[in-house]
Amino acid sequence: MHITFPNKVDNLLRYLKLKLLPKTLFFRTMLLIFIPLIVVQVVSIIAFFNGNWSKVGRRLSNNLSSNMAFVVQLTEDFPDQFGKIKMLSHNLYDLDVTYYDNETKHSVLSKTSKQNKLVTGFFEESLKADFPDALTQLYLEEGRSTLLALIDTGNGLFRFETPTKNIFSTSIFGFIAWMVGTSLLLFVVSTMFLRVQARSIKQLAEAAEDFGKGINTPFKPYGSSEVRKAGIAFTKMKERINRQISERTQMLAGVSHDLRTPLTRMKLQLAMLPKNTDNKEFLEDISEMEKMLDGYLAFVSGEAGEQNSFVDMNELIMSILNKFRNSKALIRYTTHDEVSAIQGREQALKRALTNIISNAFYYGKTVAVNLESNNNKMEITVEDDGPGIPKDKREEVFKAFYRIEGSRNKETGGVGLGLSIAKDIIVSHGGTITLDKSSMGGLKVLIAIPL
């Protein structure tokens, strides 16, 4: 059954969920354990307090109050036997009683010790029931281990001393200590087990993310059976992907060798023939076929064999721009980063940026490149003042072999793989690449790579 709330209430619940609930699996699981555990502890303590502890406390208080009433009554009936009554009270009831007449009782009533309602609450009610016409005062002395009761009956003052345990059951403290101790033990054990499970899932996620970036991070499945099964499935998937990439690369290497040999032989044969218009066009077709073959191989290989290393993006961009210094286009490069190194595949990143920057130089007369970074990511912006790309075509151009007629015509000699290769390389580094309209009027390419 799904309960539908008004939009404002639903938005408020979502906001509270995002702000209050923890983000990680470990803390969310601990919350699921900790909250029910607290509720059970509180309910158990309240049930014990209202049941066992209160009943025992009332019974002890009633017994002690009745004993005091009996001693008071005996003293009033047999005042000359107070010595024997005091001894019997101490031996039978664990009560030390002292009697003061009306002339001397005022010195005793000046006590100012504090009492604790949690301890004396039940006993105070019992005294009022057994001595309705007397004035009673209760005090706790000697670290609350001794109870002092003053009962002024009008005929004199009775001062009773007795251990606090006679009116107060200490079992509640043992019960609370037992509950808290077992809860802490459960919390510690749960934390230890959950840390292992959460750590295994975190390492699996990191290994999967690194694999997507082309980093081969060793991962050994451990933890619960479900986590181990997921880890084993990931390991097998990674092996299959690596095997498929290796087989595809080997196949393409063979295809490249087989195709380049007849193309080279055809070029040699054409070079020996008399030069004319037909032979020139045929030679251009062969050269275009070689360029297409190189583009296909670069696209499917994806620089898979290159190892990760620290790449200084500032030096990398400068090396690419230096190749276009002799062009007629105006170059503007800005950066505010003293340290611009990231972990990645240098040749792959160079190929991606070369494809993007070379397009900007071909279609624009002014090219602006900017490099910035923060604690989370590095951003590279390439802008030109060329014709740009229509908004409805900006996603299509990332498709393999896709070409735009008109502003991006076939005279470039490309096969529609430049942006596809660049996006594949950027995404393999965990980054993103987006196209937008430049403030210069042409195309703006924004590359974001996490650090």
Side-chain angles (χ1 to χ4, degrees), residues 23-136:
K23 303 294 189 300
T24 62
L25 173 65
F26 174 77
F27 286 106
R28 286 193 175 189
T29 308
M30 289 304 299
L31 195 64
L32 292 176
I33 296 175
F34 196 59
I35 289 181
L37 188 63
I38 292 177
V39 173
V40 170
Q41 301 294 338
V42 172
V43 171
S44 300
I45 291 174
I46 292 176
F48 178 82
F49 181 83
N50 291 333
N52 187 351
W53 186 79
S54 62
K55 289 180 181 179
V56 173
R58 290 183 186 276
R59 184 176 295 114
L60 292 174
S61 297
N62 291 336
N63 291 338
L64 183 60
S65 178
S66 299
N67 294 337
M68 288 182 178
F70 180 68
V71 172
V72 170
Q73 187 64 41
L74 283 177
T75 303
E76 291 180 349
D77 292 342
F78 305 99
D80 55 339
Q81 300 292 326
F82 179 72
K84 293 183 178 181
I85 295 173
K86 181 177 181 180
M87 183 178 61
L88 290 173
S89 175
H90 176 76
N91 294 334
L92 297 177
Y93 303 135
D94 198 15
L95 280 172
D96 293 327
V97 59
T98 306
Y99 175 73
Y100 300 90
D101 56 23
N102 290 331
E103 295 180 359
T104 59
K105 68 181 182 181
H106 299 291
S107 61
V108 182
L109 293 174
S110 60
K111 298 183 67 65
T112 58
S113 300
K114 296 181 180 180
Q115 59 175 317
N116 190 332
K117 290 294 183 180
L118 180 64
V119 178
T120 63
F122 297 144
F123 183 59
E124 188 175 358
E125 295 176 0
S126 299
L127 286 179
K128 289 181 180 180
D130 290 331
F131 299 95
D133 298 328
L135 297 177
T136 60

